[in-house]
């Protein structure tokens, strides 16, 4: 290992120590399980905004998206980014304030399954249990994708064994999350969002300089069939362009629908200290998302220009593009090595910021919604905290096992889990917040149909090709919302107290 690589590792190590110290500091605020899972609803507007987006973007922003742009050109990456940017803004504009107010009024709900159960007066906790199981089913592989990204990072750059690197990363994430809970996760996510931003701009500036400037990058990309087109994708194997039709564009834009059902993002809305501050959070979050997505896509194109200029060898795994750029930067002296280490810390930050939130959401589903809600097992505050932390560690262990295959694709895993949450929770959240005629049976039916359709479309219908070969989130979301509406209309209308509560929340400012 070279001296530059050692300096990079020192920088990364310092960052890991910092987040662990934040976890210890935040642990003093965890007096109850409510504090552990929702931070006592005390987040400020900037922490709310940056932690929501940092936990949302994950390693996908610094590895998955640039990798897609590098391999296939602008179309797939850009249409996805547009869908995400629009979805982000609409989620903050439409859902955030109503959910913050409604979840507080509904018996101070601290998890999404809690809110569903309280909103529909689900006395038997069926809705809560199903929602909790859905969170576990889709969040465990989602978390696994983050662990896999950490393993790829250290393995590709330092030659460290993939499995060892993944386990160490998982231990650190579990460490500060289990110690500090939601407030620690949100505080570190705020810091990690800043680190991610710095990393993106450093890579962008260094990469475009090494590639020979903007003109050289554009000239190189223009020479590849369909690479810069928004209506085609580049096929490296045949050096040709594949059509990117209107149906594919629509299904790709559907990524934005996923936001309405993301538990780790929705929890940030619920945790802000004052719903009137959400307007500030919306502006910060929307601007950050647009800039970050645009820079990430540009890095993919720049990376291809660096390969063409001979500054960097062709990548066997496009998702390691920023890792390789950081490595190249780090070979230019000790100061550059420290900067390269900061970039790598940014990649690690993007992974950790999502994994910590997912672990909390999944563990709360088990300890609060299944053990405490469904089975009604009453425990003391101290025992509840112990159960919460043990559950978190157990879920992380399962995620490590799922991430054991080092050839797994971060983009593909995130894509599937994103569809799962978007289709199961998205329609329920929207109808629960904005349609007073929505019923528990409608919500339950919609969740089940949405989740089932994600699997059916992904593995049975999409492989048939043609018009069926679209992103599974779109048909699953539509099916779920239609079933929810139909079943709600066919079942007994909500009780008067539910309607009165709905109207009271609607009137809140």
């Amino acid at each position: 290992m070279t001296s530059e690589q050692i300096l990079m590792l020192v920088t990364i190590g310092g960052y890991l120590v910092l987040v662990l110290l934040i976890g210890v500091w935040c642990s003093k605020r965890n007096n109850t399980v409510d504090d552990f899972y929702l931070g006592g609803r005390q987040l400020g507007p900037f922490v709310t905004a940056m932690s929501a987006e940092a936990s949302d973007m994950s390693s996908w922003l610094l590895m998955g998206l640039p990798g897609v742009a590098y391999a296939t050109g602008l179309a797939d990456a850009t249409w996805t980014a547009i869908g995400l940017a629009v979805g982000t803004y609409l989620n903050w504009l439409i859902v955030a304030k109503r959910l913050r107010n409604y979840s507080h009024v509904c018996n101070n709900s601290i998890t999404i399954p809690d809110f569903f159960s309280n909103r529909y007066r689900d006395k038997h906790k069926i809705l809560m249990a199903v929602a909790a199981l859905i969170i576990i089913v889709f969040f465990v592989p989602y978390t696994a994708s983050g662990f896999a990204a950490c393993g790829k990072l250290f393995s590709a750059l330092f030659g460290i064994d993939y499995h060892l690197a993944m386990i160490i990363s998982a231990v650190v994430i579990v460490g500060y999350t289990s110690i500090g809970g939601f407030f620690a996760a949100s505080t570190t996510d705020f810091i990690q969002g800043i680190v991610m931003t710095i990393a993106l701009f450093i890579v962008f500036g260094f990469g475009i300089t090494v590639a020979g400037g903007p003109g050289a990058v554009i000239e190189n990309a223009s020479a590849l069939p369909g690479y810069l087109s928004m209506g085609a994708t580049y096929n490296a194997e045949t050096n040709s362009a594949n059509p990117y039709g209107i149906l594919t564009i629509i299904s790709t834009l559907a990524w934005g629908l996923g936001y309405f059902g993301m538990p780790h993002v929705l929890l940030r809305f619920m945790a802000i200290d004052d719903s009137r501050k959400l307007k500030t959070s919306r502006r910060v979050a929307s601007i950050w998302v647009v800039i970050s997505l645009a820079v990430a896509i540009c890095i993919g194109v720049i990376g291809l220009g660096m390969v063409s200029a001979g500054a960097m060898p062709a990548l066997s795994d496009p998702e390691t593009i920023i890792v390789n750029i950081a490595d190249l930067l780090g070979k230019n002296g000790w100061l550059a090595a420290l900067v390269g280490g900061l970039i790598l810390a940014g990649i690690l930050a993007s992974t950790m910021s999502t994994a910590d939130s997912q672990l909390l959401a999944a563990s709360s589903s088990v300890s609060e919604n299944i053990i405490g809600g469904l089975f009604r097992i009453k425990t003391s505050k101290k025992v509840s905290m112990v159960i919460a932390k043990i559950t978190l560690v157990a879920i992380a262990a399962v995620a490590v096992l799922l991430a054991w295959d080092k050839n797994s694709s971060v983009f593909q895993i995130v894509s599937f889990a994103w569809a799962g949450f978007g289709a199961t929770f998205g329609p329920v959240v929207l109808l629960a917040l904005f349609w007073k005629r929505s019923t528990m049976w409608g919500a339950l039916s919609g969740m089940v149909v949405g989740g089932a359709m994600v699997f059916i479309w992904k593995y049975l219908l999409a492989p048939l090709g043609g018009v069926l070969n679209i992103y599974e989130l779109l048909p699953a979301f539509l099916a779920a919302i239609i079933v929810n509406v139909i079943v709600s209309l066919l079942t007994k209308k909500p009780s008067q107290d539910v309607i009165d509560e709905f109207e009271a929340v609607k009137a809140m400012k």
Side-chain angles (χ1 to χ4, degrees), residues 107-379:
N107 198 29
N108 194 30
S109 306
I110 64 170
T111 69
I112 295 301
D114 270 342
F115 170 65
F116 291 159
S117 184
N118 293 330
R119 159 69 172 85
Y120 292 107
R121 305 300 193 270
D122 176 19
K123 297 179 181 179
H124 300 292
K125 308 299 181 182
I126 299 173
L127 193 60
M128 174 186 286
V130 172
L133 288 173
I134 289 172
I135 285 177
I136 295 169
V137 167
F138 288 111
F139 256 157
V140 173
Y142 207 147
T143 304
S145 73
F147 292 166
C150 291
K152 282 186 178 184
L153 188 157
F154 289 104
S155 178
L157 188 58
F158 302 111
I160 299 174
D161 179 73
Y162 166 83
H163 301 108
L164 177 62
M166 180 185 63
I167 291 172
I168 292 174
S169 301
V171 168
V172 172
I173 295 170
V174 170
Y176 75 77
T177 306
S178 62
I179 294 171
F182 183 85
F183 190 70
S186 298
T187 303
T188 54
D189 288 352
F190 171 72
I191 295 171
Q192 286 163 180
I194 296 173
V195 174
M196 289 162 63
T197 305
I198 295 172
L200 279 170
F201 280 98
I202 292 174
V203 169
F204 178 88
F206 174 74
I208 207 166
T209 300
V210 173
V217 171
I218 295 174
E219 182 180 355
N220 174 71
S222 300
L224 303 177
Y227 196 87
L228 294 182
S229 171
M230 293 293 286
T233 57
Y234 172 63
N235 188 324
E237 293 183 0
T238 60
N239 193 35
S240 61
N242 295 333
Y244 204 81
I246 185 65
L247 186 61
T248 305
I249 291 173
I250 293 173
S251 74
T252 305
L253 288 173
W255 271 80
L257 294 174
Y259 278 108
F260 301 124
M262 291 298 126
H264 53 302
V265 176
L266 298 175
L267 284 174
R268 263 62 183 189
F269 300 161
M270 294 163 61
I272 195 168
D273 59 356
D274 186 345
S275 61
R276 292 171 295 183
K277 297 178 182 178
L278 284 166
K279 186 175 182 179
T280 299
S281 298
R282 181 179 75 239
R283 291 171 175 170
V284 173
S286 299
I287 292 171
W288 186 85
V289 164
V290 170
I291 294 174
S292 298
L293 290 172
V295 173
I297 292 171
C298 289
I299 287 172
V301 179
I302 290 169
L304 189 70
M306 294 173 69
V307 172
S308 178
M312 191 168 65
L315 304 178
S316 58
D317 183 356
E319 290 186 344
T320 62
I321 181 170
I322 290 185
V323 176
N324 282 271
I325 294 175
D327 184 36
L328 184 64
L329 172 62
K331 294 176 180 177
N332 290 279
W334 68 269
L335 182 59
L338 291 176
V339 175
L342 179 64
I343 295 171
L344 297 176
I347 299 175
L348 198 60
S350 68
T351 301
M352 295 167 68
S353 61
T354 300
D356 55 21
S357 301
Q358 292 164 346
L359 284 171
L360 279 171
S363 66
S364 67
S365 296
V366 175
S367 62
E368 288 295 292
N369 303 136
I370 294 179
I371 296 176
L374 179 63
F375 296 119
R376 304 177 189 273
I377 299 175
K378 301 297 182 181
T379 60

Side-chain angles (χ1 to χ4, degrees), residues 454-466 468-470 472:
V454 168
F455 284 92
I456 291 170
W457 202 278
K458 173 74 173 180
Y459 295 108
L460 296 180
L461 299 180
L464 297 177
L468 298 176
N469 188 25
I470 59 175
E472 58 271 16

Side-chain angles (χ1 to χ4, degrees), residues 20 22-30 35-37 39 174-185 360 389:
L20 284 172
I22 290 173
V24 173
W25 175 69
C26 293
S27 66
K28 300 175 183 178
R29 301 184 58 155
N30 292 326
D35 293 335
F36 186 76
Y37 283 131
V174 170
Y176 75 77
T177 306
S178 62
I179 294 171
F182 183 85
F183 190 70
L360 279 171
K389 294 181 179 183

Side-chain angles (χ1 to χ4, degrees), residues 134 138 419-425 427 443-457 472-473 475-481 483:
I134 289 172
F138 288 111
F421 281 122
T424 53
F425 288 164
L444 182 60
S445 301
M447 278 199 295
V448 172
V449 169
M453 185 59 74
V454 168
F455 284 92
I456 291 170
W457 202 278
E472 58 271 16
L473 172 54
F477 187 96
L478 293 175
I481 203 164
V483 168

